[in-house]
Amino acid sequence: MFRKTLKKDPELFQNVSDGLRRLYRTKLFPLEDTYQFHDFHSPALEDADFDNKPMVLLVGQYSTGKTTFIRHLMEQDFPGMRIGPEPTTDSFIAVMHGDQEGVIPGNALVVDPKKPFRKLNAFGNAFLNRFMCAQMPNPVLESISIIDTPGILSGEKQRISRGYDFAAVLEWFAERVDRIILLFDAHKLDISDEFSEVIRALKNHEDKMRVVLNKADQISTQQLMRVYGALMWSLGKIINTPEVVRVYIGSFWAQPLLVPDNRKLFEAEEQDLFLDIQSLPRNAALRKLNDLIKRARLAKVQAYIISSLKKEMPSVFGKDSKKKELIANLGEIYIKIEKEHGISPGDFPNLAKMQELLNGQDFTKFSSLKPKLLEAVEDMLANDIARLMALVRQEESAMPTQSVRGGAFDGTMSGPFGHGYGEGASEGIDELEWVVGRDKPTYDEIFYTLSPINGKVSGAAAKKEMVKSKLPNTVLGKIWKLADVDKDGLLDDEEFALANHLIKIKLEGHELPADLPGHLVPPSKRGTIAGDE
């Protein structure tokens, strides 16, 4: 009855979170529950998983500046924060928004239905004693939450057992967060065995992964190039994807730069990273939708695997030996399912891990194939997801482009220290004199060689000069549009000088403005533009 209503009534979903929650409960959860998906892959999703703010997971070896990075973003200390050159953060700390500043310990945190952490209780007390939530009123945390993790150990230190499965906990978070930031220290670049294992545990979440090469102001430009090359080589060996993961280079804290040579590079990189983080609230609904689709595909494969194993089990004798045989031949079962149901090999779970998990299961309790459950998930993927996709677009267009506010994000937004202020098209923005006037005598010399008529040169004459810049026609066309201020198809001496100034801006590697800024408008045109428009 419910499924018929779901198909007929497109108004059923109030918003994307509501739609995802309902689809999960009515269509995907029954399939997961029947075929023990939660024992093999990932615990059941809770309401809070669909409603929570975007989360950023910080991962890195000790002393790479993870905690300092959070402090830099928020411009405020958070409860439970400890910073030092040795391993200091030995806990997972969820830094979240709250009206009162304080710390919630792990055991209390996993029973709170409003927080998306209830299923972490499966990792036991050894983990929960090292898990807490730092709550505080901070504008950055109104839009995102940040998860600080224990420093990954190197050498002998990594042999000391943590008492819980560190990689498995990180994998649990990776499934639920919107962005994973891997931090590396530019002047101490060794990737330990534990770090390699952690990065491999984050496999299948490469789309969420970004890399920060931190403390880059502590080495010279030449050393930085070598370190960057070494990092890319190391990551290429661990992250087996054809695309190169995005690396941001900089020094993410509020201290003076030790080697200021690369200041402009660091500013541009920080700006790019901030824009990436600021886009998270806008893209959160799409990320949740994407994760649910991934989960549904894996749940379908799980159903086929479990029902195939059930089908092969004898009803009376030889159950143990048959179980061992089936586990050993699991790879062949994968191939059979792949061909029979047209499933991509990439959708199957890791073979060795699946074999290990199957060892502890009672195959006689497995369920046989129930086509109706699979049909419900197929219907969800084929029809319901398309409807939700339209809702996602609506929600995205209603959101501001830069949703994360406060802290370090405000420091790069406006005023003379905003990114690119006083450079490129904004050069001369604060000056009384027209900035183009500085080089106008040089441009005038060229202008008068083009045989102006009534003080203006034609488009054809201007083109011959402008193409000498070797810029493509698409760019020169945009420059012409900006420079022909009075839109008469000709350029006077001021407009010609402006065109050359814009060419210079582009050749220096800056972007052209979409519209001509007020300070670049030629002085003789400043009173007339408003009237012309």
Side-chain angles (χ1 to χ4, degrees), residues 469-484:
S469 66
K470 298 182 182 173
L471 287 170
N473 278 1
T474 49
V475 176
L476 291 174
K478 187 174 179 184
I479 288 171
W480 174 273
K481 201 173 167 186
L482 291 167
D484 183 12

Side-chain angles (χ1 to χ4, degrees), residues 10 15 40 116 133 137 140 142 146 153 165 196 237 270 289 293 310-312 343 399 439 466-467 482 485 497 504-505:
N15 53 48
F40 284 84
C133 174
V140 173
E142 286 172 16
I146 307 170
L153 307 170
D165 191 338
S196 300
K237 287 200 303 179
E270 183 173 66
L289 185 67
I293 295 167
K310 169 73 174 177
K311 195 175 168 187
E312 296 291 331
I343 292 167
M399 283 191 80
D439 299 315
M466 288 168 74
V467 294
L482 291 167
V485 178
K504 186 180 91 164
I505 286 170

